[in-house]
Amino acid sequence: MRKIKTGSMLCQIREQKKISQKKLCAGVCSVATLSKYECGERTPDGLLFFFFMQRMGMAPDDFAVMLSDEEFQYYKWKEAIFTAIQSGEWATVEELFHSMEAENRDCNSKIQNQFYFYVSAVYAEKIEKNQKKAVQFLEKAVRETVPDFLESRLTEYQLSTMEIGLMAIYFYKGGQQNFIESNEIYRNQYSLLSYVREEIYDKREASRLIPGIACILLKCCGNQMNVWERLAIEEEAVRLLKENRKMYHLPEILRFYVRDLAETDAEKAGVYEKQYQAFLEVYQDTGYGTCFQPEQIFDSQEQVYLLDEYMRSYRDISGMTQEQVSDGICAPETYSRLETGKRKPHPKQREAIVERLEIGWGYFRGDLETTDYKVFELLNQYREEAAKNRWKEAEIYANELKSKMDMESINNRQYMGMIENHIAYATGRISAEEICRRDRELLELSITEERLEKTEMYYFSHIEIILHIHIANVLCDMGKTKEAIGFLERVLKKTEKSAVGIEYWWNGMNAVVFNLANMRSDMGDYVTSLKDMKDFTGKCMRMYDGRFLACAIGEIAFDLEHLNKTNQKVSKRLLEQAFYLTDFYEMSGQHNNIQKYYKEHYDKEKEWYGN
């Protein structure tokens, strides 16, 4: 199978987007070093790879990187800090801050320094209560990769979303302490907004940045704008959050939006006021703060795999011994240390091992195997149309997508086959039995029951996970819920022994966890379903996933009610939350089902909106 190299991917996307080497690598490495990455002489570490991708306007969770165990320890530490900051656990932040301050030799030092200065700023503000010191650390963080950001125009740089986030936080915190005048904040935040609109093509990344920048503008410079100017910013932020079903800065942006709508459209303000109150309740129920958290603008959600685990899994599946895999590559003892994560392979060793084990993909993993970023744009357009059930338009994008891809790739054949099957099923061209048969055939292109039995742990590709979900859901449609549960359980069973949590594989695994809990509830196992859903809501909050959060709250209400009739008061309140959340995200199917159930079991005269 074809393996896409890191370097060729960086080079082709950079050239397609007409970005110079100098702009792409400025502040983190030399042009000569980037050239070595692009021609394959060297391989960038995970941090640097994600940084380059973000500078080219792409979402880091479009790709998954295989890491050494040493690299992964740094990622775990970083993720733990992000989680503690998001939930306001400052004692945990302090403990983590002091636990691992030394540089990790396997990761880019510039990017590490930037993150360290950022955490130092959080520490100074939240723990030392030294606001001036916090702003100074934020400036250091930005200058680590954009040394003259206060003197130059943004168009002179190719900025990553992380750098944009840091700049936004710097101006906000500086304004709070009167170190920066409101006029300067206004000018710079608008420049950042314009940059995101023009340079960050991925809407998921834009949905993280624009609502945060909008909140900063509204909090610091709202009195410099009239109500219509504020509404334009608020509506853009709300639209992005709705389209991408995210929750970045959601309570605060809705608070501003409701306030300004009250001056211009009282009826619409009444609708959003109810939705705002529902989100406030959800945040409070789950223990998250509802005030504006600028730190959310500087966050990261990468997908990563552990190379040593992946090697073990594929060797088990192949039936080869360590001696057979290592023959001609390294000593069996060396290979053993590589497979246990005690040692990192040299680039040539890594390449040879991947080749011998027939690992079908290289350094990154997205939905598709491609070096053409335009394919990702088409994929996003297809998803938007499919989400709205506009299948005629979706099929047009699907056909164009297929024409631009290498269909010799098993992953690409699986993905396009799945899309074609889904369109055919959604439009009534094929039956449930037929789509189930076709999707099973696609899945067997890369994985069979026999292969799975040979390994305790298996890294499912993104498309393999999605195919499992599709098949399981169709089985449910056919009344085979028990079989569907078993089909999804094996995905979790084969991944639970990995050191990498599902937060790193959220796109795909979120649907596995939710659907499995939902199916267990349908089978009457309300206790297990309730436990799984409560754990799941915490993960949804961490991942800012509004779509699955809304569904999970509705399922929790249903499980509670069936477990004990005394829970009806709580269930009723949760159903109301789910009603407003699904309405906000325009999830019409789920929304209508909740409303129907509520009317039948609680209050058919319920007044949902208005006074």
Side-chain angles (χ1 to χ4, degrees), residues 337-350:
R337 288 194 290 273
L338 298 177
E339 207 176 80
T340 56
K342 295 178 181 177
R343 181 170 174 176
K344 181 182 177 182
H346 300 303
K348 288 185 179 180
Q349 288 177 334
R350 177 184 178 132

Side-chain angles (χ1 to χ4, degrees), residues 185-214:
I185 297 171
Y186 183 81
R187 177 175 56 82
N188 280 284
Q189 295 303 307
Y190 259 105
S191 294
L192 290 173
L193 269 181
S194 298
Y195 188 91
V196 173
R197 290 165 180 158
E198 294 169 8
E199 299 292 337
I200 307 300
Y201 102 90
D202 193 284
K203 290 185 178 179
R204 288 166 297 173
E205 289 293 274
S207 71
R208 177 164 61 83
L209 291 170
I210 286 180
I213 295 170

Side-chain angles (χ1 to χ4, degrees), residues 126 129 179 202 212 299 379 384 471 474:
K126 303 296 184 180
K129 308 299 181 184
F179 302 145
D202 193 284
D299 200 343
L379 181 58
E384 286 180 24
I471 293 168
V474 174

Side-chain angles (χ1 to χ4, degrees), residues 78-139:
K78 216 175 132 183
E79 172 62 23
I81 286 183
F82 278 134
T83 302
I85 289 173
Q86 183 191 11
S87 55
E89 298 173 1
W90 307 120
T92 303
V93 172
E94 181 176 17
E95 181 183 346
L96 290 166
F97 179 67
H98 291 301
S99 69
M100 191 175 174
E101 295 181 9
E103 181 181 59
N104 186 299
R105 64 185 181 183
D106 279 350
C107 301
N108 181 274
S109 60
K110 283 274 190 180
I111 301 172
Q112 285 188 86
N113 288 342
Q114 188 168 73
F115 183 70
Y116 179 72
F117 287 139
Y118 163 71
V119 180
S120 298
V122 174
Y123 182 87
E125 179 187 1
K126 303 296 184 180
I127 296 158
E128 296 181 335
K129 308 299 181 184
N130 189 329
Q131 311 297 328
K132 183 176 181 181
K133 188 177 179 182
V135 175
Q136 290 171 341
F137 272 123
L138 285 170
E139 183 175 344

